[in-house]
Amino acid sequence: MIIKILFLACAVAAANAGALVSPVYGAPYSYGAWNPYSSYPAQPALASQQSNTYRSPFNLGQVSTYSKSIDTPFSSVRKADIRVSNPGVAVAPAYSSFAAPYVSHVGVAAPIAKVATTGGLLGVAYSPATTVSHMTYTNGLGLAYSCGDNEDSWILYKERPEWSDVTPVPEDDGPNPVVLIAHSEKFEDVYDYFRAVLQKNEMSERALELTKDAVELNPANYTVWQYRRDLLKALGTDLRPELDYVEAIIKNSSKNYQVWHHRRVLVEWLQDPSLELGLTGDALLQDPKNYHAWQHRQWAIKTFGLYDKEMDFVDNLISEDVRNNSAWNQRYFVVNNHLGWSDISVQKEVCYTLEKIKFVKNNESAWNYLRGVLLHDKRGISGNSIVTSFCEELYKNKCRSPYLLAFIIDICDEAIKKGETSSFHNADRAVELCQALANKYDRIRSKYWNYMCDKFKKYQQNETHKDDNIDS
């Protein structure tokens, strides 16, 4: 009887497995009688992701690379992106690939990638940008089919009737250029005409549109941005759409100094910072340590007094990642420039920081912030009993974080200089901790700790001489 029940259960399971519904792409279609999903157990996906940024000397240009892959038994996904903000470098378009379902026959059309029907991200009138420049689908049978980016729609400026009155100005690299940059035809065309209008100081709508094409090719070109600002001012252009335009570029190139500076100038002209906290907040969600976003946020807050909700914003970031050094820095910025360092404020920040250290004891950001707060404590590092007791309690409980040991050494150092040494905080204790750091807990900085150890040994010798003099 049990065997019959098991056989019946297996039959029901097999029937249900064969009834899987195929996905639909635009119009329904069938995969055929055999469904591969019913023949294989669920398998985990294998994924990998990598990103790098290479910067030239003096940060004049950069190359950002990003790649991601996901593999399953039935499909494969590959995405790669290369972005160059080095003037004149021609780079192949980014390729993104999406998996198509494993099919049992070859007579199935690939799902069609949707493309934008309006202008591109940068609003270029002559070159509407597609959402995906190139797509490749692969499946378990080894079939592949793709749709590529077509640049035939781009019209060179030299072929546009409305630009026939302008003589392009080629780039002058001198008679013997050391390195010739492989400009694309489009790049040369755009920048030849850009140099022409720049030399003539032409103030026109067409020149303003030209700067968009120039920015798309090299968003880090500061000359293009400066000329664009001159055009905006001369033409009396409505700056609200310009804010939207710059926001789109920031989302695509969030670590570009020139675009953030352009945004600052626009806000200064408008005297309206209402969008800046939201914009920088979005940028920091993507990269919580984006220096340019933090710099712009601090400028907007300090210039327009937008401190009210900043501590809540920072507290959320620290709660999400207690090691976020940028968020700790922003907290110091708010207290230092707005709340002030009264005794109550100092103790409040001390207690807040100690709670975060309890959570992650080996967190350099929190220990550094504690040092910064105690700079405003009249009693100093060694005079705050809450801090010293906290440190000794951690040490007593076998915590040997190098940041804790280094902090206790600082307490000892200050106590020695003030002449307020104790059984816990003195030169002998400092020597012991320096040796522990150099030999075990922070060996990468062993030379520094050995240097500090020698310094405290001199203190020991001075104390010994004083004792000898007193005895004699």
Side-chain angles (χ1 to χ4, degrees):
M1 183 64 181
I2 295 175
I3 295 176
K4 291 182 179 180
I5 293 173
L6 290 174
F7 180 80
L8 179 62
C10 291
V12 172
N16 288 336
L20 293 177
V21 179
S22 60
V24 176
Y25 299 98
Y29 58 86
S30 171
Y31 284 134
W34 175 73
N35 192 313
Y37 295 108
S38 65
S39 303
Y40 292 90
Q43 298 290 330
L46 300 177
S48 65
Q49 180 173 310
Q50 183 178 8
S51 61
N52 289 289
T53 300
Y54 306 94
R55 291 183 172 87
S56 65
F58 310 107
N59 203 29
L60 296 176
Q62 68 179 30
V63 179
S64 300
T65 64
Y66 171 84
S67 62
K68 182 177 182 180
S69 66
I70 301 177
D71 294 299
T72 73
F74 308 110
S75 63
S76 178
V77 181
R78 296 287 185 275
K79 178 180 180 181
D81 182 58
I82 301 175
R83 297 182 183 180
V84 179
S85 60
N86 190 24
V89 177
V91 180
Y95 291 86
S96 299
S97 61
F98 299 86
Y102 191 117
V103 297
S104 60
H105 58 279
V106 298
V108 180
I112 301 301
K114 294 183 178 179
V115 299
T117 56
T118 59
L121 178 64
L122 302 183
V124 181
Y126 287 90
S127 179
T130 58
T131 303
V132 180
S133 60
H134 186 88
M135 299 182 69
T136 301
Y137 303 87
T138 60
N139 57 33
L141 295 177
L143 303 178
Y145 29 94
S146 63
C147 56
D149 185 9
N150 185 2
E151 291 220 350
D152 292 340
S153 59
W154 172 260
I155 302 176
L156 296 172
Y157 275 82
K158 62 185 179 183
E159 296 174 358
R160 302 181 189 184
E162 65 271 28
W163 285 89
S164 60
D165 61 312
V166 176
T167 302
V169 178
E171 184 175 12
D172 184 7
D173 289 327
N176 299 302
V178 177
V179 177
L180 283 174
I181 299 176
H183 297 294
S184 67
E185 183 182 17
K186 178 179 178 180
F187 188 97
E188 289 184 351
D189 179 66
V190 169
Y191 274 89
D192 287 355
Y193 278 83
F194 171 75
R195 281 185 288 270
V197 295
L198 183 64
Q199 285 186 7
K200 293 168 54 180
N201 197 29
E202 178 180 320
M203 298 292 161
S204 64
E205 289 292 340
R206 70 175 184 177
L208 188 62
E209 286 300 313
L210 172 61
T211 60
K212 278 190 176 183
D213 288 337
V215 164
E216 181 181 11
L217 292 167
N218 181 14
N221 190 312
Y222 53 84
T223 304
V224 174
W225 285 110
Q226 180 58 53
Y227 183 51
R228 184 171 180 83
R229 285 191 290 275
D230 294 341
L231 288 164
L232 291 171
K233 184 178 289 187
L235 299 173
T237 306
D238 183 3
L239 298 180
R240 298 293 173 179
E242 185 71 8
L243 287 176
D244 296 335
Y245 166 70
V246 173
E247 181 178 353
I249 298 178
I250 286 175
K251 288 180 178 179
N252 194 48
S253 183
S254 63
K255 294 187 177 181
N256 181 335
Y257 170 78
Q258 283 75 23
V259 67
W260 283 106
H261 177 70
H262 187 70
R263 179 83 182 191
R264 176 186 292 198
V265 174
L266 294 177
V267 174
E268 286 177 335
W269 287 353
L270 290 168
Q271 285 296 295
D272 180 8
S274 58
L275 301 175
E276 303 318 291
L277 296 186
L279 173 67
T280 53
D282 290 343
L284 293 171
L285 282 177
Q286 300 299 319
D287 181 0
K289 300 179 182 180
N290 185 332
Y291 167 79
H292 301 287
W294 279 117
Q295 184 184 49
H296 186 79
R297 189 178 184 90
Q298 287 191 357
W299 167 79
I301 289 172
K302 193 171 184 179
T303 302
F304 298 98
L306 307 178
Y307 292 99
D308 291 346
K309 298 180 180 180
E310 191 62 10
M311 286 297 273
D312 293 335
F313 175 78
V314 170
D315 192 37
N316 287 334
L317 289 179
I318 292 176
S319 298
E320 291 173 3
D321 178 10
V322 75
R323 293 183 174 87
N324 186 341
N325 190 63
S326 299
W328 284 103
N329 179 73
Q330 185 73 353
R331 187 176 185 89
Y332 190 91
F333 167 82
V334 175
V335 178
N336 196 52
N337 290 282
H338 180 59
L339 300 177
W341 295 107
S342 64
D343 289 342
I344 295 177
S345 179
V346 168
Q347 290 309 311
K348 180 180 177 182
E349 291 305 301
V350 165
C351 293
Y352 176 87
T353 310
L354 295 184
E355 285 298 317
K356 299 302 180 183
I357 291 175
K358 282 182 184 178
F359 179 61
V360 179
K361 299 174 182 63
N362 203 35
N363 178 11
E364 184 177 10
S365 297
W367 284 106
N368 284 341
Y369 184 77
L370 181 61
R371 274 192 177 84
V373 170
L374 291 174
L375 290 175
H376 304 278
D377 191 329
K378 298 175 183 178
R379 295 163 295 184
I381 295 178
S382 61
N384 190 309
S385 59
I386 295 176
V387 174
T388 55
S389 299
F390 175 83
C391 291
E392 293 306 329
E393 186 67 22
L394 287 181
Y395 189 85
K396 179 182 177 181
N397 291 325
K398 308 299 181 183
C399 176
R400 294 298 183 267
S401 163
Y403 309 117
L404 168 64
L405 303 187
F407 200 90
I408 296 176
I409 290 172
D410 286 345
I411 294 175
C412 294
D413 189 29
E414 185 176 280
I416 292 169
K417 291 176 179 177
K418 286 183 176 181
E420 299 174 355
T421 57
S422 65
S423 58
F424 285 107
H425 306 128
N426 51 56
D428 293 338
R429 179 87 182 283
V431 168
E432 176 191 342
L433 294 176
C434 285
Q435 290 174 341
L437 285 164
N439 299 325
K440 185 174 182 180
Y441 299 111
D442 194 18
R443 286 183 292 180
I444 195 171
R445 282 179 283 271
S446 60
K447 290 184 178 180
Y448 170 75
W449 292 120
N450 287 330
Y451 165 79
M452 292 297 292
C453 186
D454 292 340
K455 169 186 169 182
F456 288 111
K457 285 180 179 178
K458 291 179 181 178
Y459 286 140
Q460 286 178 320
Q461 293 172 0
N462 292 336
E463 290 177 2
T464 302
H465 290 318
K466 288 179 182 179
D467 293 340
D468 292 342
N469 292 333
I470 292 173
D471 293 339
S472 61

